[in-house]
Amino acid sequence: MTESLVQIENLSFEYPGPTAEVALRNISFSMPPGSIYSIIGPSRSGKSTFLKLLNRLQEVGNPGLLKGTIHFQGKDIYAPDMDPYQLRREVGFVFDKPLALDMSIFDNVAFGPRHAGVKNRAELDLLVEESLRDASLWDEAKDRLQTNALGLSGGQKQRLSIARSLALKPKLLLLDEPCSALDPISTARIEETLLRLKEKTACILVTNNTKQAARVADVTLFFLMGDLVEIGPTRQLFTAPQDQRTDDYLSGRFG
């Protein structure tokens, strides 16, 4: 039996304040390596909050009360001895808006490894090329690595964001609606990248595009108002959902 890459047990999260808004309730599931999981659901269902909890980004900008456990490669990521900075090297994050740092394409990709202590130029060269290849950007960028990355198109910037995360050799990549601002051609390239990557870098993809989830995900989770309503193999969930609420969402009756 394949050991879980991620194990979630009874995870709940509540934002502080007078209203004490509950974002997630008793989420439990496990994820093996070598897979793509997608999370679908209407807005305010806790999808982005859940994603940020997986590499402790939530505590940076909007902390709250967390209950339950998240294990990554067998380790409790909220244990006192867990270094969140090390965790974020192993669990990368790609945001919805394409992001390029105001520096060269090369320096964008080398940014993380340099901060992690990689100084050797030959090693950096190899990391940059490998990461850009993995992100399907090498052929478009190899002749202008020293030009400013701000000149890239939106789709190229998003693939650059993926390359920047991949340069740290993560075991898991979290993507929060990475194609929401992209055209269909750029979206297709991102999806091809994820499918090619998954054997060495598993992915959890939050998407409002159910067709995208159907195209790339091995397993799909349906979140609704903080609850995990249903989880299952993507084809099964899309063709024969077990919960009426899932069927209603997929058929467009709400959301």
Side-chain angles (χ1 to χ4, degrees):
M1 183 175 180
T2 303
E3 185 177 343
S4 296
L5 180 68
V6 178
Q7 181 77 43
I8 314 290
E9 295 183 2
N10 299 317
L11 179 69
S12 297
F13 185 79
E14 183 178 299
Y15 288 105
T19 57
E21 179 186 354
V22 177
L24 297 165
R25 296 182 196 83
N26 298 319
I27 307 294
S28 295
F29 72 94
S30 61
M31 175 185 182
S35 58
I36 299 176
Y37 276 37
S38 69
I39 303 176
I40 61 172
S43 59
R44 300 189 67 81
S45 286
K47 304 186 301 294
S48 293
T49 297
F50 174 75
L51 216 58
K52 290 175 182 176
L53 289 172
L54 289 180
N55 77 341
R56 296 182 55 171
L57 270 180
Q58 188 66 38
E59 66 193 45
V60 175
N62 202 353
L65 176 62
L66 182 146
K67 297 178 181 177
T69 59
I70 302 173
H71 284 82
F72 173 68
Q73 297 187 128
K75 298 178 181 177
D76 183 351
I77 71 168
Y78 285 90
D81 61 347
M82 174 61 74
D83 179 354
Y85 298 103
Q86 179 59 39
L87 174 69
R88 292 175 197 133
R89 293 174 186 171
E90 299 182 49
V91 183
F93 201 105
V94 177
F95 294 90
D96 55 342
K97 293 182 175 59
L99 174 64
L101 306 177
D102 187 7
M103 55 183 69
S104 72
I105 294 171
F106 182 96
D107 288 339
N108 263 264
V109 182
F111 185 85
R114 280 176 173 151
H115 279 264
V118 179
K119 304 298 182 185
N120 181 275
R121 178 66 190 217
E123 188 176 352
L124 286 171
D125 286 345
L126 186 61
L127 274 171
V128 168
E129 178 176 347
E130 184 178 298
S131 301
L132 288 171
R133 284 189 184 279
D134 283 345
S136 303
L137 190 56
W138 175 250
D139 289 342
E140 297 162 60
K142 63 183 178 181
D143 295 325
R144 48 176 176 152
L145 292 177
Q146 298 309 319
T147 61
N148 195 297
L150 296 181
L152 295 173
S153 69
Q156 289 172 328
K157 287 177 182 174
Q158 193 62 299
R159 281 179 282 150
L160 181 66
S161 297
I162 293 174
R164 197 165 50 239
S165 291
L166 294 178
L168 289 168
K169 305 291 185 182
K171 297 297 184 185
L172 176 64
L173 189 60
L174 310 173
L175 303 104
D176 193 1
E177 298 186 43
C179 301
S180 60
L182 303 184
D183 61 82
I185 293 175
S186 296
T187 295
R189 286 178 177 163
I190 296 288
E191 292 174 1
E192 290 166 4
T193 295
L194 300 184
L195 288 168
R196 193 176 62 256
L197 281 175
K198 70 176 186 176
E199 288 305 320
K200 61 181 179 180
T201 304
C203 301
I204 298 181
L205 169 70
V206 164
T207 179
N208 283 326
N209 185 338
T210 55
K211 291 182 180 179
Q212 181 174 67
R215 287 191 296 266
V216 303
D218 300 297
V219 172
T220 294
L221 301 86
F222 173 52
F223 278 32
L224 179 63
M225 302 302 289
D227 294 318
L228 172 53
V229 172
E230 188 167 348
I231 177 174
T234 298
R235 182 180 295 275
Q236 175 184 309
L237 185 139
F238 274 75
T239 58
Q242 301 300 301
D243 192 289
Q244 185 61 46
R245 292 168 293 176
T246 310
D247 190 42
D248 288 345
Y249 178 74
L250 292 173
S251 60
R253 285 192 281 271
F254 75 89

